[in-house]
Amino acid sequence: MNSWTLVLVQALNGLQFGMMLFLFAAGLTLVLGIMNLVNLAHGSLYMLGAFFAATLQHWTGSFLIALALALPATFIAGAVIEALVLRTLYVRDHLDQVLATFGLILFLNELVRIVWGATPLYMSIPPALRGAVALLPGVEYPIYRLALIALGLAVALFLYVLVGKTRLGMLIRAGASNREMVEALGVDIRLLFTAVFGIGAVLAALAGILVGPILSVESGMGDGILILALVVIVIGGIGSIRGSFVAAIVVGLVDTMGRAFLPSLLAAVMPAVIAGAVGPALASMLIYVVMAIVLFVRPQGLFPVRSR
Amino acid sequence: MAEALLATESLVKQFGGLCATDRVSLEVARGEVHALIGPNGAGKTTLVGQVTGAIRPDSGRMFFQGRDITALPAHRRAHLGLARSFQISSIFLDMTALDNVALAVQIHQGHSFRLWRNARADQSLRAPARATLDQVGLAARADVMAAELSHGEQRQLEIAMALASAPKLLLLDEPMAGMGPNESQRMIELLRSLKGKVTILLVEHDMDAVFALADRITVMVQGRIVASGQPSEIRANEEVRRAYLGDAGSPR
Amino acid sequence: MLTRREGAICTVSMAALALVPLLAAAAGEPFYIGFVARIMIFGIAAVGLNFILGFGGMVSFGHAAFVGLGVYAVGLAVHHGVSDGFVHLGLVVALSAFAAFVIGAVCVRTSGLYFIMITLAFAQFLYFVGVGLKQYGGDDGLTFRGRSDFAAWLDLADAVTFYYFVWAILAAVLFVVYRFVQSRFGMALRGIRSNEQRIQGLGLPVFRYRLAAFVISGVICGIAGALLANLTQFVSPAYLHWTRSGDLLVMVIMGGFASVFGPVLGAALLLVLEELLSSYTEHWQLLLGPILILVVLFAKQGLMSALPPAGLQFKIRGHG
């Protein structure tokens, strides 16, 4: 592969990563924007989705069945968590929410370790999506990853229609910018919350399930993506799905391509030894630099929703 | 004629489609009590916000003691001698009344990068703070938590904090708000005692207070000034009577 | 806040802490000397975090990064043959102050939720830098032999000497933080937490005070890290992991964030709890999670208010 095909491949990887980030971050930003809830345990729903799907695929041999059953299973788990813990946090300040959901993460990570053991589980790509396809002569790219990109776009489109064109969506948009007003209009806010939380939980689980065949399924897998998602939300603007879409793609591309190309770019201008040591560290720094720049210019993110 | 202490020149502020400040040119003379009245939504608080620097005007200029302060940040204007009290009491609820005023004195005195001496034992802070509390009539409540003061006392504390910086111009945003007749009377006495010592721009709905205190009155309706002059002129002004004074005395 | 009651609790506790090595030796259980030293070290870090959290209203989810910087500063110095304690001190203070200044300059402009998330992000970034340092063990970390040499008579390799050294530093940090809190700077900081808009209107340029407090807090945590390196003889990115920042937050909340000394109690509570629970089961985090949730929901004021006599029930305005 020449260098341009490498760029193309890495760009696609970045796009795919960004799509999965978007699925995860969309739910987080909705819950935060509408319910004013910092839910660090969102990553745990991602993890649970992956674990349910991995186990189901192991039992039934079918990715599709695993996907179809794991989503409602995670939804139920999310509902239980919401009813037991999260519900009491809506009226609390953000510090309380952070600490309590942090406690949830500790609990759920350990629970998963007890139930499934400490060794990672593996999922296999469904047979229909295995293999690679030639995008250009001599450039092959995994079909599964292309499917993820397509799926991510489909979900983005679905959310766009849902939020922009339906009554529920209108309530969501209204609730994101002025919750008190929505309540004053007589909308049952609890139902709205449940709907929003449910959408978020399913999206997180979906991201976890889809990513399962690519990464390993293990306890604590939600923590890393949680932090990336927080960066996405900060850049995109709290409560804005459009913002998290744009930001997720930006973060996905910057992170993936930065890691792929920065070390070699540096090696072109400085001794290889230093480039080798500094390169990876700088690459992982890139998205935080982007975040810092965005915040400097627009402290409320790219597409702020709330009139705070 | 003496130079105006505060002068605004065609200030404009729009919020979306609403013009809150519509080419307002206002002058406050040194030493006077200038009342700003008008119905709710006339843009009085928005104007005060622009003068203190909390809100940026879309166009127009402002001058304080002849100096153009239009671009000056809020905390710098405070040091020039512009002090403000808030329509809804904005005090430090988790500190005592004395601590509240002492903090205002402390900030006025300069930077707070002093990290060692006990601020509560510092007489250069405590003494002026007590004096100011005394001036507003809160001397007996100095060690009470601000959250536990009565509404009227909190309004008094508001004024004390604004006074603590020995301001040249005091912007009072509805100091009478929510007060019963006794408290209002006390507040009017307090403000009367300040007349001449400090220039006051008073935003108020309480017409008794306005006519008892004001040297000049400016009337705003829907972001524009419709009349400005001596209290007797304003009382006699037909337009003003129709638009606003007909509602005089009705509770907010 | 800074009541006589708190002073009494602090004095009694510090006196009790001073007796620990003697009691441990008498009971033939030297383990506790190292264990309580560890509690005091985290107490120092928690006091540092509380300076900006309890008094400044800034909730940082990334302060483990400064502890970690302190650990690395000492560990790598010793690894490269530098064991002069004063050089270590200089390195630690310089490194943590610089990092806190840079990170603070970006973070402090935000507040509330954004601040929590950004401090978390920056700390995690430093964690990944640590993981990327392959020459120092990366993910696995690196053990080193050697302590900070301050003077010939101060042998920090001796457990009891080290214990009293930490005790002395804890006492010094508590004293200094106490002075800072009741100084003009402290009043300004508390005013910022209490009503930022008002204090800005009074004429205080908020940003520089927040930043200064953030840097002070970072340096204190860095010092804790340096002590930790001397205790464990081990550097690892794990010290910077965001769950360690979570631990610090938990210590501050459990101990009582309205006081200077409270966080030390919180550190003791958390570490003792971990020790107790892990002796019952290796799955102790299963219990710690719910305990934390219950504390947050029902005992928000922390240990400081719960100890007799009943203290000021103090509503600090929520954040966010």
Side-chain angles (χ1 to χ4, degrees), chain A residues 158-174:
Chain A
F158 168 73
L159 284 175
Y160 173 70
V161 170
L162 177 72
V163 174
K165 314 280 181 203
T166 67
R167 188 158 177 277
L168 173 64
M170 182 207 70
L171 289 174
I172 289 177
R173 270 180 295 139

Side-chain angles (χ1 to χ4, degrees), chain A residues 2-247:
Chain A
N2 69 33
S3 50
W4 287 113
T5 57
L6 201 59
V7 170
L8 178 63
V9 167
Q10 289 302 342
L12 285 172
N13 284 346
L15 199 59
Q16 176 254 303
F17 177 44
M19 286 299 162
M20 294 300 104
L21 252 186
F22 165 65
L23 288 185
F24 184 82
L28 195 60
T29 201
L30 266 183
V31 166
L32 187 50
I34 296 181
M35 298 149 73
N36 208 13
L37 174 72
V38 186
N39 179 18
L40 296 186
H42 196 70
S44 306
L45 293 170
Y46 167 91
M47 174 180 73
L48 284 175
F51 268 96
F52 286 144
T55 309
L56 284 164
Q57 188 184 44
H58 188 74
W59 285 345
T60 68
S62 160
F63 183 84
L64 222 53
I65 296 181
L67 177 63
L69 292 179
L71 284 178
T74 316
F75 179 80
I76 294 174
V80 170
I81 294 173
E82 196 267 342
L84 283 181
V85 179
L86 298 179
R87 198 165 285 182
T88 56
L89 295 175
Y90 293 148
V91 294
R92 301 290 209 126
D93 62 42
H94 289 315
L95 173 59
D96 290 355
Q97 294 172 355
V98 162
L99 289 176
T101 51
F102 176 58
L104 265 179
I105 294 179
L106 294 180
F107 175 74
L108 289 169
N109 278 348
E110 195 58 41
L111 190 66
V112 158
R113 246 183 300 240
I114 293 177
V115 173
W116 278 280
T119 36
L121 296 183
Y122 294 97
M123 286 177 67
S124 45
I125 300 178
L129 297 173
R130 283 192 202 142
V133 77
L135 297 170
L136 301 170
V139 183
E140 302 238 308
Y141 195 72
I143 297 180
Y144 187 67
R145 287 184 187 249
L146 284 175
L148 291 192
I149 295 176
L151 205 65
L153 286 170
V155 170
L157 192 62
F158 168 73
L159 284 175
Y160 173 70
V161 170
L162 177 72
V163 174
K165 314 280 181 203
T166 67
R167 188 158 177 277
L168 173 64
M170 182 207 70
L171 289 174
I172 289 177
R173 270 180 295 139
S177 53
N178 195 331
R179 188 157 28 106
E180 289 81 11
M181 184 56 78
V182 171
E183 281 180 296
L185 287 173
V187 173
D188 186 344
I189 205 74
R190 299 231 320 268
L191 273 180
L192 184 62
F193 278 15
T194 306
V196 169
F197 186 78
I199 294 174
V202 166
L203 286 175
L206 183 62
I209 297 168
L210 292 175
V211 144
I214 302 181
L215 306 173
S216 57
V217 176
E218 56 188 335
S219 169
M221 67 187 277
D223 304 349
I225 195 173
L226 175 72
I227 300 194
L228 282 176
L230 292 178
V231 174
V232 165
I233 292 179
V234 165
I235 293 178
I238 293 179
S240 166
I241 296 188
R242 188 183 0 158
S244 49
F245 183 73
V246 171

Side-chain angles (χ1 to χ4, degrees), chain A residues 241-257:
Chain A
I241 296 188
R242 188 183 0 158
S244 49
F245 183 73
V246 171
I249 296 189
V250 168
V251 169
L253 284 172
V254 168
D255 192 58
T256 306
M257 297 184 71

Side-chain angles (χ1 to χ4, degrees), chain C residues 201-215:
Chain C
L202 285 172
L204 190 83
V206 166
F207 176 76
R208 65 187 74 162
Y209 288 89
R210 275 216 169 117
L211 182 57
F214 193 82
V215 170

Side-chain angles (χ1 to χ4, degrees), chain A residues 103, chain C residues 254 273 277 284-297:
Chain C
M254 289 221 265
L273 205 61
L277 291 178
W284 55 276
Q285 290 208 9
L286 199 68
L287 300 169
L288 185 64
I291 290 177
L292 176 57
I293 295 174
L294 290 173
V295 167
V296 167
L297 292 181

Side-chain angles (χ1 to χ4, degrees), chain C:
Chain C
M1 263 178 284
L2 302 162
T3 57
R4 283 224 181 86
R5 194 179 143 264
E6 190 201 331
I9 293 176
C10 177
T11 315
V12 168
S13 306
M14 289 303 279
L17 283 172
L19 292 175
V20 165
L22 306 169
L23 296 172
E29 299 265 21
F31 160 76
Y32 287 105
I33 300 179
F35 178 63
V36 180
R38 191 188 174 87
I39 288 179
M40 290 196 292
I41 290 174
F42 279 104
I44 293 172
V47 167
L49 172 59
N50 193 39
F51 185 60
I52 56 164
L53 198 159
F55 298 103
M58 299 185 263
V59 181
S60 165
F61 211 134
H63 259 50
F66 301 116
V67 176
L69 279 175
V71 174
Y72 268 84
V74 168
L76 296 189
V78 171
H79 180 75
H80 285 285
V82 178
S83 55
D84 184 317
F86 292 102
V87 172
H88 289 176
L89 182 64
L91 268 177
V92 166
V93 171
L95 196 58
S96 48
F98 177 70
F101 186 82
V102 171
I103 293 177
V106 177
C107 298
V108 150
R109 309 167 106 248
T110 67
S111 58
L113 186 57
Y114 282 100
F115 184 78
I116 298 176
M117 302 203 293
I118 296 161
T119 47
L120 175 59
F122 272 112
Q124 196 62 356
F125 151 65
L126 283 174
Y127 166 76
F128 282 122
V129 170
V131 168
L133 292 173
K134 297 294 179 212
Q135 63 272 46
Y136 297 122
D139 216 353
D140 298 320
L142 179 77
T143 49
F144 58 90
R145 294 246 162 277
R147 307 280 159 100
S148 303
D149 272 327
F150 284 99
W153 50 270
L154 195 61
D155 177 22
L156 295 183
D158 172 56
V160 176
T161 313
F162 180 69
Y163 182 94
Y164 284 113
F165 183 66
V166 173
W167 187 96
I169 298 205
L170 174 61
V173 165
L174 284 169
F175 180 64
V176 166
V177 168
Y178 168 70
R179 293 305 294 236
F180 284 1
V181 164
Q182 41 98 76
S183 72
R184 291 195 182 204
F185 183 84
M187 295 304 286
L189 195 62
R190 286 193 262 171
I192 293 174
R193 187 208 68 218
S194 179
N195 192 333
E196 184 182 337
Q197 200 200 23
R198 188 64 209 256
I199 208 171
Q200 197 147 38
L202 285 172
L204 190 83
V206 166
F207 176 76
R208 65 187 74 162
Y209 288 89
R210 275 216 169 117
L211 182 57
F214 193 82
V215 170
I216 292 172
S217 157
V219 169
I220 295 176
C221 284
I223 292 175
L227 292 172
L228 197 57
N230 275 278
L231 177 68
T232 62
Q233 302 275 277
F234 181 59
V235 296
S236 154
Y239 287 122
L240 293 103
H241 195 247
W242 67 283
T243 47
R244 301 281 79 75
S245 291
D247 286 348
L248 284 177
L249 280 177
V250 171
M251 290 177 197
V252 168
I253 296 302
M254 289 221 265
F257 55 88
S259 67
V260 176
F261 188 73
V264 179
L265 294 176
L269 188 59
L270 182 64
L271 290 175
V272 165
L273 205 61
E274 279 183 7
E275 189 65 26
L276 275 178
L277 291 178
S278 58
S279 66
Y280 281 129
T281 163
E282 64 174 285
H283 300 295
W284 55 276
Q285 290 208 9
L286 199 68
L287 300 169
L288 185 64
I291 290 177
L292 176 57
I293 295 174
L294 290 173
V295 167
V296 167
L297 292 181
F298 300 114
K300 179 76 186 297
Q301 295 300 331
L303 206 52
M304 206 63 199
S305 310
L307 290 177
L312 288 165
Q313 274 309 312
F314 199 108
K315 285 249 159 26
I316 291 196
R317 234 184 287 166
H319 206 94

